Amino acid sequence: YESDAGQYVPRSVFIDLDPTPVDEIRNGQFKKMFSADHLLSGKEDASSCFARGKYTVGKKLVPDAMDVIQRTVETCKSLQGFFIFHSVGGGTGSGLTDAIVREIR
């Protein structure tokens, strides 16, 4: 979408249980490209464990993730769909993503 300042901002949401990857976006050279309220991270990773990503550490982040996703979707004039890019292993890639997708359904 185009911001009030005339800058194009991608409609993307970054979610990770480990704060390091999201902090790289938040503080890196592309920080002006993405909206800061669409960068969501936890305080600890899931230690490559599906169950931690889905049932314990990740479960705490799901309500915040759904709130950010809903706010992003509501800004669209004509939403036709969206993509979810995730890794297939580990707690965030598989566990947290499974919890979010189940909540979206």
Side-chain angles (χ1 to χ4, degrees), residues 3-59:
S3 70
D4 294 336
Q7 179 182 1
Y8 288 99
V9 180
R11 281 194 180 108
S12 56
V13 177
F14 293 88
I15 303 169
D16 201 327
L17 292 173
D18 180 11
T20 307
V22 178
D23 285 345
E24 287 184 24
I25 298 167
R26 200 176 273 130
N27 302 319
Q29 75 182 63
F30 297 112
K31 67 182 173 185
K32 293 181 180 178
M33 186 176 192
F34 300 101
S35 178
D37 58 339
H38 291 165
L39 304 175
L40 182 63
S41 59
K43 296 187 186 333
E44 62 178 304
D45 66 6
S47 302
S48 297
C49 178
F50 176 88
R52 280 180 52 85
K54 183 173 181 180
Y55 299 112
T56 59
V57 179
K59 187 176 183 178

Side-chain angles (χ1 to χ4, degrees), residues 4 10 12 15 18-19 22 28 35-36 46 53-55 57-58 60 63 66 69 71 75 77-78 81 96 98 100 105:
D4 294 336
S12 56
I15 303 169
D18 180 11
V22 178
S35 178
K54 183 173 181 180
Y55 299 112
V57 179
K60 298 173 189 172
M66 293 306 300
I69 292 168
R71 282 188 282 126
T75 63
K77 291 180 182 176
S78 179
L96 178 61
D98 183 61
I100 290 171
R105 286 186 186 175

